Amino acid sequence: MSRGIGGSPESIDSAIRTEDSTHLRQQLVIQKLESRLLRRQIAVQQQQIEQLKTRLKRYENPNTPPSKQGGAAGSPGNDDSDEEENEDQGDDAGGDADAASDSSPGRDKGHEGTTRPPPEPEETIRVDQGYCPDCEQTLSNPDSYVSRTIIDIPLPIPTTVTEYELGKHRCSCGNEVVAEHPDCPETGRFGPNIMAQTALGRFHQRLPNRKQAELFEWELDIPLSHRTIYNLTKRVADRLRPAYEDVKARIRESDVVYCDETGFPVDGEQHWVWTFVTDEEVLFWVDESRGSQVLEDVLGEEFAEDSTLSCDGWSAYRSYHTKLQRCWAHLLREAEYVAERYEEAEWLSAELHDLHDDLTAFDERDPSASAREQMRAEASLHLEGLIREEYESQEVQKLIEKIRNGLGHWLTFVTEPDVDSTNNRAERALREQVVLRKMFRTLRSTEGVQIHETITTMLATWKRRGLDPPEQLQSILGGKELRSG
């Protein structure tokens, strides 16, 4: 009697179980390896997502200026490193509440234009001969004349060369005194008009020193080196520095100061250009710090308690002063940004806009002091009610935190008639600095910083006072008394 080939049923079942167990263990090992690989891939993808989110925030946040929206940024080094949406990081310069106009340049449709009358000609040139293109004949003895007045300038532009013979005197006290003339600079051989043109070319026309040197040679037939251009701007800044210090002193005594700051590299290192704006002054101050110490250096350690600082959410302002006016333009713009992305924020944005509109209309009626106090109390209760609501989205919660951190500072303008609800004055003043930063990339030295902040301060201040900057610049460089604003 023969045995079965497969053995006993028990042994067969045991072999099958062993084989199944081995197969399951192999599958488990494979699954663990696949799981580990997937976790690594997810980690890498998550890191990439966070990097992309960080980059996206630079071009899609409520503080992104129009020039950078959609990723239209400049080259590295020009990015505003202060473009932060965090409450304690402040807001970027140039975030004006005034929307950019969509209208095309030029006069409005239906507007009747005017033509400037031509000046009286200094010379009349009569042209008698004409040429007929069909008959190819040269014609003379015209029947009449067509008059055209042409305005032009000679090139190179005529320059004057004046020699000053300055008398030397021996005083009875033993001093040797040299006579002075207001149009004869103490240093160098270029007069006040050339010095003024150099400063305007650099800080108004935004020309690099190389370009200015080329223009002087082309238009004035005066070859100048880059260093000479720089030295001329330094002499201008030295003459303007007392006026700069006077502007700073006036700002310290102001009841309302509008402040803002933005990045501006110095020798490749991050610095900050601050602006301080009043009704008649604009001060620029470049510093390596973005902290409250700068406010102490500019405004003094004992800035008047009843004076108001208008600012964004940057923490340095709260550290320095207690009476603030937070900028509603930033708040409303951020509310709109969040409302576009989260439905629960639409109501919040509408409430903030309506509140600001009501308060602005109330302020324009010039109400009494008691009415202002009552309105401020009611508006404060309204804001507190908004932040007590519950919101699910993290972005909306961040907006609520921004409002909460500013309680006590959003409504100063309601009881202070001379205070604006926005910080647009400072932001508009800072735009020119942003453009200069894009043009010049960096300031080179401490001396260059002083030249920059001095000349830009005086040009902006004269313009704010309604004065003509070229005229004022030429006057002070020529030693003549400046007209006050």
Side-chain angles (χ1 to χ4, degrees), residues 160 164 182-185 187-198 232 235-236 474 477-478:
T160 60
Y164 292 90
D183 292 332
C184 180
T187 306
R189 55 190 176 92
F190 294 106
N193 291 338
I194 287 182
M195 293 171 63
Q197 183 57 47
T198 303
L232 288 173
R235 293 170 198 168
V236 173
Q474 290 168 351
L477 293 176

Side-chain angles (χ1 to χ4, degrees), residues 444-456:
R444 300 296 181 184
S445 63
T446 302
E447 185 178 74
V449 164
Q450 189 174 71
I451 294 171
H452 179 95
E453 64 185 11
T454 301
I455 297 179
T456 56

Side-chain angles (χ1 to χ4, degrees), residues 317-332:
Y317 299 108
R318 297 197 304 273
S319 300
Y320 170 72
H321 198 56
T322 58
K323 190 175 181 182
L324 307 176
Q325 172 58 58
R326 289 285 300 272
C327 179
W328 275 81
H330 287 97
L331 177 62
L332 297 179

Side-chain angles (χ1 to χ4, degrees), residues 344 347 385-393 396-397 400:
E344 64 175 341
W347 170 82
L386 294 179
I387 65 177
R388 281 197 297 268
E389 297 288 336
E390 293 186 1
Y391 303 92
E392 296 181 359
S393 169
V396 182
Q397 292 174 8
I400 291 299

Side-chain angles (χ1 to χ4, degrees), residues 3 43 58 95 103 105 166 168 181 214 245 259 302 319 324 326 345 364 409 439 474 485:
R3 293 175 175 266
R58 303 178 71 174
S103 61
L166 307 175
K168 296 178 63 175
H181 190 281
E214 291 176 351
E245 295 296 335
C259 309
E302 300 179 358
S319 300
L324 307 176
R326 289 285 300 272
E364 291 174 351
H409 302 312
M439 297 295 296
Q474 290 168 351

Side-chain angles (χ1 to χ4, degrees), residues 57 61-64 80-95 259-262 272 274 290 311-318 326-327 330-331 333-334 398 402 405 410 423 427:
K57 285 182 180 180
N61 68 74
N63 304 311
T64 302
D80 289 341
S81 57
D82 59 332
E83 290 177 1
E84 303 285 354
E85 63 277 0
N86 189 298
E87 165 65 19
D88 291 332
Q89 295 299 316
D91 301 291
D92 179 48
C259 309
D260 204 356
E261 77 293 326
T262 190
W272 304 91
W274 294 69
R290 201 189 177 194
C311 58
D312 55 23
W314 181 233
S315 59
Y317 299 108
R318 297 197 304 273
R326 289 285 300 272
C327 179
H330 287 97
L331 177 62
R333 186 170 54 250
E334 185 166 341
K398 289 173 61 178
K402 182 187 187 81
N405 289 341
W410 296 114
N423 196 34
E427 292 175 348

Side-chain angles (χ1 to χ4, degrees), residues 23-39:
H23 180 68
L24 289 174
R25 284 196 297 270
Q26 291 175 345
Q27 286 184 329
L28 182 61
V29 170
I30 292 174
Q31 289 177 350
K32 287 183 178 180
L33 291 175
E34 290 178 346
S35 176
R36 185 181 304 173
L37 178 61
L38 288 173
R39 285 198 299 270

